Amino acid sequence: MDLQSLVTFFEEKWEGTPDVCVRAPGRVNLIGEHTDYNDGFVLPMAIDRAAWIALRRRPDRWVKVHFADTQRYGEFHLDAIRYTDSGSLEYVKGVAWALQEEGFFLRGWEGVIIGDVPVGAGLSSSAALEVACARAFCATAQIPWDPVKMALLSQKAENQWVGVQCGIMDQLISACGQEGQALLIDCRSLELTHVPIPDTARIVVLDTGTRRGLVDSAYNERRAACERTARQFGVKALRDITIEEFERRANELDEITRRRVRHVITENDRTLRAAQALQTGDLREFGRLMVKSHESLRDDYEVSSPALNAMVEIALQQPGCLGARMTGAGFGGCAVALVETAVAERFSQTVAEIYHQKTGNEPSVYICRASAGASLVESCCTA
Ligand code: GLA
């Protein structure tokens, strides 16, 4: 995505130039999967693919938007926001609703939205859109930008307006990411620790080209099992159970629940160790923890898929691959690999070829740069 295409699209649809452009990135989670809604730890990074909005303030309270990807148009009035199941427009409405519920006074605007985060791939295109909308509403109504607060309100929009019970990871990293850094998030205290990614390795996103519709029900089921077990153990969330305590009391759980809970508890531990390994530049240890995470998601949490397993297996067989795992909610979408910089290009080509030969699916591979969280694009009106 480049700024010029955003501005050109605005000019085509609205004539004249935009007064504000904003962007908010998608993300890839390096480790810490299905831990955020258990008050645990996650280590995502914002990627160099984003949702972009170019807009012009309106004197009234109408919000009017053209979407580039679907070629659709939608509008709503800030004093009468209603859910009408209108696709991407519901994210814009949901964020406006959440900000107004919080007491912010918003202003109308007209604009265009473009994104290059692939939809449904597990790279959080919806969080990118929500956080970009929050950034846009703050810019037009002169609300100071508070990234953590705006991430929480974007999550509220996703939970209560769109109706998806996600945790806080995706919106927080989209709002708070920093260039060149991964972000360790304590999902209980919301304490954030930026951890630099050494230049000797690249993060490679491996999209299996598969998508699964089952994600929502499986996600909610697992979330419910975690919450039930926390109640049974008399704690607020699975975050509060140590590995030793889990081992002592594991026989109180049925076989499936035991595996689900074991994933969450061991994954929290792996995530903290991985963050430490990254901080000390121990990329081999980081890679080993990624592999363990994948095995746990595949065997205990059971959210992987044959395509994801094939992708991870192929990646791990290549020289210079330090680790690989499925990423995001699972059942399809993307894997992520940590690869030595010198071989990253070659790795990407080889993995894509072998994966295609073996599965017949069309993969996409991106070597990602860790990018900054949501921002105003200052140069937009002079582009
Ligand atoms: C989805 C959710 C996140 C998180 C992951 C699994 O991406 O939106 O909150 O729960 O799944 O780690």
Side-chain angles (χ1 to χ4, degrees):
M1 241 304 299
D2 65 298
L3 194 56
Q4 188 57 59
S5 355
L6 179 71
V7 172
T8 307
F9 186 48
F10 181 94
E11 287 165 354
E12 264 168 46
K13 295 296 179 186
W14 293 108
E15 296 177 354
T17 48
D19 357 283
V20 176
C21 295
V22 301
R23 59 163 274 289
R27 64 102 185 93
V28 59
N29 190 18
L30 305 182
I31 193 163
E33 216 64 83
H34 291 278
T35 44
D36 62 349
Y37 53 81
N38 290 298
D39 278 4
F41 299 93
V42 293
L43 187 66
M45 104 187 181
I47 58 175
D48 41 354
R49 289 177 164 250
W52 297 71
I53 307 179
L55 61 90
R56 184 164 60 203
R57 294 178 184 90
R58 290 178 60 89
D60 58 20
R61 288 181 34 88
W62 280 95
V63 175
K64 304 187 172 198
V65 196
H66 289 277
F67 293 90
D69 53 350
T70 51
Q71 294 294 319
R72 281 170 70 170
Y73 168 79
E75 58 177 39
F76 61 94
H77 195 279
L78 286 165
D79 295 328
I81 313 181
R82 270 180 286 277
Y83 187 86
T84 51
D85 201 6
S86 342
S88 302
L89 187 68
E90 294 308 329
Y91 293 94
V92 191
K93 287 187 201 169
V95 171
W97 165 80
L99 265 69
Q100 293 196 140
E101 282 268 304
E102 190 66 16
F104 291 116
F105 183 79
L106 304 184
R107 296 187 182 278
W109 50 269
E110 56 208 14
V112 296
I113 301 187
I114 298 188
D116 59 1
V117 187
V119 174
L123 300 176
S124 294
S125 59
S126 51
L129 176 55
E130 288 152 6
V131 175
C133 289
R135 192 72 199 81
F137 280 114
C138 286
T140 48
Q142 283 171 353
I143 300 165
W145 179 245
D146 174 342
V148 173
K149 182 168 194 162
M150 290 303 152
L152 286 163
L153 291 173
S154 298
Q155 182 200 17
K156 180 173 175 181
E158 175 105 29
N159 290 166
Q160 296 183 32
W161 193 271
V162 183
V164 176
Q165 294 311 309
C166 63
I168 187 59
M169 166 168 67
D170 307 346
Q171 291 80 9
L172 256 187
I173 180 63
S174 181
C176 303
Q178 280 185 10
E179 222 172 291
Q181 324 250 333
L183 183 63
L184 175 67
I185 305 173
D186 177 334
C187 297
R188 172 168 283 166
S189 66
L190 301 190
E191 185 187 344
L192 308 177
T193 312
H194 296 276
V195 188
I197 299 172
D199 203 39
T200 48
R202 290 284 178 268
I203 303 297
V204 184
V205 171
L206 304 161
D207 187 342
T208 59
T210 61
R211 305 286 182 260
R212 280 289 291 272
L214 263 180
V215 181
D216 281 0
S217 58
Y219 187 92
N220 292 341
E221 246 171 58
R222 280 161 182 72
R223 193 173 171 150
C226 293
E227 287 165 0
R228 219 173 32 240
T229 310
R231 275 196 302 277
Q232 189 179 333
F233 277 41
V235 292
K236 184 161 175 284
L238 292 189
R239 144 77 173 272
D240 300 307
I241 303 174
T242 61
I243 294 183
E244 295 73 38
E245 187 177 4
F246 165 72
E247 279 166 0
R248 212 171 48 241
R249 296 186 59 181
N251 58 358
E252 293 172 34
L253 303 171
D254 65 78
E255 215 266 316
I256 292 187
T257 312
R258 194 182 312 144
R259 286 193 282 119
R260 301 289 188 259
V261 173
R262 181 165 62 197
H263 165 73
V264 174
I265 294 175
T266 56
E267 183 78 352
N268 272 330
D269 179 61
R270 280 187 290 273
T271 305
L272 289 173
R273 286 198 281 143
Q276 210 166 35
L278 198 57
Q279 255 148 358
T280 57
D282 188 351
L283 296 182
R284 298 214 166 266
E285 172 67 0
F286 193 93
R288 269 194 293 276
L289 291 162
M290 289 175 87
V291 175
K292 290 273 175 233
S293 166
H294 182 76
E295 289 166 358
S296 177
L297 288 157
R298 183 191 62 199
D299 303 336
D300 277 354
Y301 219 60
E302 294 181 289
V303 291
S304 191
S305 70
L308 284 165
N309 295 338
M311 189 65 103
V312 167
E313 207 175 291
I314 296 163
L316 290 174
Q317 282 160 1
Q318 307 312 312
C321 179
L322 299 160
R325 56 183 286 277
M326 58 151 277
T327 184
F331 296 104
C334 293
V336 58
L338 182 72
V339 183
E340 286 168 6
T341 302
V343 296
E345 289 287 347
R346 192 193 169 83
F347 167 89
S348 307
Q349 272 171 19
T350 317
V351 172
E353 273 164 30
I354 302 179
Y355 172 81
H356 178 67
Q357 272 163 21
K358 282 207 170 156
T359 64
N361 299 327
E362 276 310 326
S364 310
V365 180
Y366 320 100
I367 301 178
C368 287
R369 235 175 359 95
S371 78
S375 58
L376 280 180
V377 186
E378 300 294 348
S379 53
C380 102
C381 305
T382 52

Coordinates of all heavy atoms in Angstrom, one line a residue, residues 69-113:
D69 N -11.7 -2.4 -0.9 CA -11.7 -3.8 -1.2 C -13.0 -4.4 -1.7 O -13.0 -5.2 -2.7 CB -11.2 -4.6 0.0 CG -12.0 -4.3 1.3 OD1 -12.8 -3.4 1.2 OD2 -11.8 -5.1 2.3
T70 N -14.1 -3.9 -1.2 CA -15.4 -4.4 -1.6 C -16.1 -3.5 -2.6 O -17.2 -3.9 -3.1 CB -16.3 -4.6 -0.4 OG1 -16.3 -3.4 0.3 CG2 -15.9 -5.7 0.5
Q71 N -15.5 -2.4 -2.8 CA -16.2 -1.3 -3.7 C -17.5 -0.9 -3.1 O -18.4 -0.5 -3.9 CB -16.3 -1.9 -5.1 CG -15.0 -2.1 -5.9 CD -14.3 -0.8 -6.1 OE1 -14.8 0.2 -6.4 NE2 -13.0 -0.8 -5.9
R72 N -17.7 -1.1 -1.8 CA -19.0 -0.7 -1.3 C -19.0 0.7 -0.6 O -17.9 1.2 -0.3 CB -19.4 -1.7 -0.2 CG -20.0 -3.0 -0.9 CD -20.2 -4.1 0.1 NE -21.3 -3.8 1.0 CZ -21.8 -4.7 1.9 NH1 -21.3 -5.9 1.9 NH2 -22.8 -4.5 2.7
Y73 N -20.1 1.3 -0.4 CA -20.3 2.6 0.2 C -21.2 2.4 1.4 O -22.2 1.6 1.3 CB -20.8 3.6 -0.8 CG -21.3 4.9 -0.1 CD1 -20.3 5.8 0.2 CD2 -22.6 5.1 0.2 CE1 -20.7 7.0 0.9 CE2 -23.0 6.3 0.9 CZ -22.0 7.2 1.2 OH -22.4 8.4 1.9
G74 N -20.9 3.1 2.5 CA -21.9 3.1 3.6 C -21.8 4.4 4.4 O -20.9 5.1 4.3
E75 N -22.9 4.7 5.1 CA -23.0 5.9 5.9 C -23.8 5.7 7.1 O -24.7 4.8 7.1 CB -23.5 7.1 5.0 CG -24.9 6.8 4.5 CD -25.5 8.0 3.7 OE1 -24.7 8.6 2.9 OE2 -26.7 8.2 3.8
F76 N -23.6 6.5 8.1 CA -24.5 6.5 9.3 C -24.4 7.8 10.0 O -23.4 8.6 9.8 CB -24.1 5.3 10.3 CG -22.7 5.4 10.8 CD1 -22.5 6.0 12.0 CD2 -21.7 4.8 10.1 CE1 -21.2 6.0 12.6 CE2 -20.4 4.9 10.6 CZ -20.1 5.5 11.9
H77 N -25.4 8.2 10.8 CA -25.4 9.4 11.6 C -25.0 9.1 13.0 O -25.4 8.1 13.6 CB -26.8 10.0 11.5 CG -26.8 11.5 12.0 ND1 -26.8 11.8 13.3 CD2 -26.7 12.6 11.2 CE1 -26.7 13.2 13.4 NE2 -26.7 13.7 12.1
L78 N -24.1 9.9 13.6 CA -23.5 9.6 14.9 C -24.6 9.7 16.0 O -24.4 9.2 17.1 CB -22.4 10.6 15.2 CG -21.1 10.4 14.4 CD1 -20.1 11.5 14.5 CD2 -20.4 9.1 15.0
D79 N -25.8 10.3 15.7 CA -26.8 10.3 16.7 C -27.8 9.2 16.6 O -28.7 9.1 17.4 CB -27.6 11.6 16.7 CG -26.7 12.8 17.0 OD1 -25.8 12.6 17.8 OD2 -26.9 13.9 16.4
A80 N -27.6 8.3 15.6 CA -28.5 7.2 15.4 C -27.8 6.0 14.8 O -28.0 5.6 13.7 CB -29.7 7.7 14.5
I81 N -26.9 5.5 15.6 CA -26.1 4.3 15.1 C -26.8 3.1 15.4 O -27.2 2.8 16.6 CB -24.7 4.3 15.8 CG1 -24.0 5.7 15.8 CG2 -23.8 3.3 15.1 CD1 -22.7 5.7 16.5
R82 N -27.1 2.3 14.4 CA -27.8 1.0 14.5 C -27.1 -0.1 13.8 O -26.5 0.1 12.8 CB -29.3 1.1 14.0 CG -30.3 1.6 15.0 CD -31.7 1.7 14.4 NE -31.8 2.9 13.5 CZ -32.0 4.1 14.0 NH1 -32.2 4.3 15.3 NH2 -32.1 5.1 13.1
Y83 N -27.2 -1.3 14.4 CA -26.5 -2.4 13.8 C -27.4 -2.9 12.6 O -28.6 -3.1 12.7 CB -26.4 -3.6 14.8 CG -25.6 -4.7 14.2 CD1 -24.2 -4.7 14.3 CD2 -26.2 -5.8 13.5 CE1 -23.5 -5.8 13.7 CE2 -25.5 -6.8 13.0 CZ -24.1 -6.8 13.1 OH -23.4 -7.8 12.5
T84 N -26.8 -3.0 11.4 CA -27.6 -3.4 10.2 C -26.9 -4.5 9.4 O -27.2 -4.7 8.3 CB -27.9 -2.2 9.3 OG1 -26.6 -1.5 9.0 CG2 -28.8 -1.2 9.9
D85 N -25.9 -5.1 10.0 CA -25.1 -6.2 9.4 C -24.6 -5.8 8.0 O -24.7 -6.5 7.0 CB -26.1 -7.4 9.2 CG -25.3 -8.7 9.1 OD1 -24.1 -8.7 9.2 OD2 -25.9 -9.7 8.8
S86 N -23.9 -4.6 8.0 CA -23.4 -4.1 6.7 C -21.9 -4.3 6.5 O -21.2 -3.4 6.1 CB -23.7 -2.6 6.5 OG -24.7 -2.2 7.3
G87 N -21.4 -5.5 6.9 CA -20.0 -5.8 6.6 C -19.1 -4.9 7.3 O -19.3 -4.6 8.5
S88 N -18.0 -4.4 6.6 CA -17.0 -3.6 7.2 C -17.5 -2.4 7.9 O -16.9 -1.9 8.8 CB -16.0 -3.2 6.1 OG -15.4 -4.3 5.5
L89 N -18.6 -1.8 7.4 CA -19.1 -0.6 8.0 C -19.5 -0.8 9.5 O -19.4 0.1 10.3 CB -20.4 -0.1 7.2 CG -20.9 1.3 7.7 CD1 -19.9 2.4 7.3 CD2 -22.3 1.5 7.0
E90 N -19.8 -2.0 9.8 CA -20.2 -2.3 11.2 C -19.0 -2.0 12.2 O -19.1 -1.7 13.3 CB -20.7 -3.7 11.4 CG -22.0 -4.0 10.8 CD -23.1 -2.9 11.1 OE1 -23.1 -2.4 12.2 OE2 -24.0 -2.7 10.2
Y91 N -17.7 -2.2 11.6 CA -16.6 -2.0 12.5 C -16.4 -0.4 12.7 O -16.1 0.0 13.8 CB -15.3 -2.5 11.8 CG -15.2 -4.0 11.7 CD1 -15.7 -4.7 10.6 CD2 -14.8 -4.7 12.8 CE1 -15.7 -6.0 10.5 CE2 -14.7 -6.1 12.7 CZ -15.2 -6.8 11.6 OH -15.2 -8.1 11.6
V92 N -16.7 0.3 11.7 CA -16.7 1.8 11.9 C -17.7 2.3 12.9 O -17.5 3.0 13.8 CB -16.9 2.5 10.5 CG1 -16.5 4.0 10.6 CG2 -16.1 1.9 9.4
K93 N -19.0 1.7 12.7 CA -20.0 2.1 13.6 C -19.7 1.6 15.0 O -20.0 2.3 16.0 CB -21.3 1.3 13.2 CG -22.0 1.9 12.0 CD -23.3 1.1 11.9 CE -23.9 1.1 10.5 NZ -25.0 0.1 10.4
G94 N -19.2 0.4 15.2 CA -18.9 -0.2 16.5 C -17.9 0.7 17.2 O -18.1 0.9 18.4
V95 N -16.9 1.2 16.5 CA -15.9 2.0 17.2 C -16.5 3.3 17.6 O -16.3 3.8 18.7 CB -14.6 2.2 16.3 CG1 -13.7 3.2 16.9 CG2 -13.9 0.8 16.1
A96 N -17.3 3.9 16.7 CA -18.0 5.2 17.0 C -18.9 5.0 18.3 O -18.9 5.8 19.2 CB -18.8 5.7 15.8
W97 N -19.6 3.9 18.3 CA -20.5 3.6 19.4 C -19.7 3.5 20.7 O -20.1 4.1 21.7 CB -21.3 2.3 19.1 CG -21.9 1.7 20.3 CD1 -23.1 2.1 20.9 CD2 -21.4 0.6 21.1 NE1 -23.4 1.3 22.0 CE2 -22.3 0.4 22.1 CE3 -20.3 -0.2 21.1 CZ2 -22.1 -0.6 23.1 CZ3 -20.1 -1.2 22.0 CH2 -21.0 -1.4 23.0
A98 N -18.6 2.7 20.7 CA -17.8 2.5 21.9 C -17.2 3.8 22.4 O -17.2 4.1 23.6 CB -16.7 1.5 21.6
L99 N -16.7 4.7 21.5 CA -16.2 5.9 21.9 C -17.2 6.9 22.5 O -17.0 7.5 23.5 CB -15.5 6.6 20.7 CG -13.9 6.4 20.6 CD1 -13.6 5.0 20.2 CD2 -13.3 7.3 19.6
Q100 N -18.4 6.8 21.9 CA -19.5 7.7 22.4 C -20.0 7.2 23.8 O -20.3 8.0 24.7 CB -20.7 7.8 21.4 CG -20.2 8.5 20.1 CD -21.4 9.0 19.3 OE1 -21.3 10.1 18.7 NE2 -22.4 8.2 19.1
E101 N -20.1 5.9 23.9 CA -20.4 5.3 25.2 C -19.5 5.7 26.3 O -19.8 5.8 27.5 CB -20.3 3.7 25.1 CG -21.5 3.1 24.4 CD -22.5 2.6 25.4 OE1 -22.2 1.9 26.4 OE2 -23.7 3.1 25.2
E102 N -18.2 5.9 25.9 CA -17.2 6.4 26.9 C -17.3 7.8 27.2 O -16.6 8.4 28.0 CB -15.8 6.0 26.3 CG -14.6 6.1 27.2 CD -14.6 5.1 28.3 OE1 -15.4 4.2 28.3 OE2 -13.9 5.4 29.3
G103 N -18.2 8.5 26.5 CA -18.4 10.0 26.7 C -17.7 10.9 25.8 O -17.7 12.1 26.0
F104 N -17.0 10.4 24.8 CA -16.4 11.3 23.8 C -17.4 11.9 22.8 O -18.3 11.2 22.4 CB -15.3 10.5 23.0 CG -14.1 10.1 23.8 CD1 -13.8 8.7 24.0 CD2 -13.3 11.0 24.4 CE1 -12.7 8.3 24.8 CE2 -12.2 10.6 25.1 CZ -11.9 9.3 25.3
F105 N -17.2 13.2 22.5 CA -18.0 13.8 21.5 C -17.3 13.7 20.1 O -16.2 14.2 19.9 CB -18.3 15.3 21.9 CG -19.2 15.9 20.9 CD1 -20.6 15.7 21.0 CD2 -18.7 16.7 19.9 CE1 -21.4 16.3 20.1 CE2 -19.5 17.3 18.9 CZ -20.9 17.1 19.0
L106 N -18.0 13.0 19.2 CA -17.3 12.8 17.9 C -17.9 13.7 16.8 O -18.9 14.3 17.0 CB -17.6 11.3 17.5 CG -17.1 10.2 18.4 CD1 -17.4 8.8 17.8 CD2 -15.7 10.4 18.8
R107 N -17.1 13.8 15.8 CA -17.6 14.7 14.6 C -17.6 13.8 13.4 O -17.0 12.8 13.3 CB -16.5 15.8 14.4 CG -16.5 16.7 15.6 CD -15.6 17.9 15.3 NE -15.6 18.7 16.5 CZ -16.5 19.6 16.9 NH1 -17.6 19.8 16.1 NH2 -16.4 20.3 18.0
G108 N -18.4 14.3 12.4 CA -18.6 13.6 11.2 C -17.5 13.7 10.2 O -16.7 14.7 10.3
W109 N -17.3 12.8 9.3 CA -16.3 12.9 8.3 C -16.7 12.1 7.0 O -17.6 11.2 7.1 CB -14.9 12.5 8.8 CG -14.8 11.2 9.5 CD1 -14.9 11.0 10.9 CD2 -14.6 9.8 9.0 NE1 -14.7 9.7 11.2 CE2 -14.5 8.9 10.1 CE3 -14.3 9.3 7.7 CZ2 -14.3 7.6 10.0 CZ3 -14.1 7.9 7.6 CH2 -14.1 7.1 8.7
E110 N -16.1 12.4 5.9 CA -16.2 11.5 4.7 C -14.9 11.0 4.3 O -13.9 11.8 4.4 CB -16.9 12.3 3.6 CG -16.2 13.6 3.2 CD -17.1 14.7 2.7 OE1 -18.4 14.5 2.8 OE2 -16.6 15.6 2.1
G111 N -14.8 9.8 3.9 CA -13.5 9.3 3.5 C -13.5 8.0 2.8 O -14.5 7.5 2.3
V112 N -12.3 7.4 2.7 CA -12.1 6.1 2.0 C -11.3 5.2 2.9 O -10.4 5.7 3.7 CB -11.4 6.3 0.7 CG1 -12.3 7.1 -0.3 CG2 -10.0 6.9 0.8
I113 N -11.5 3.9 2.8 CA -10.7 2.9 3.6 C -10.1 1.9 2.7 O -10.8 1.3 1.8 CB -11.6 2.2 4.7 CG1 -12.2 3.3 5.6 CG2 -10.8 1.2 5.4 CD1 -13.0 2.7 6.8

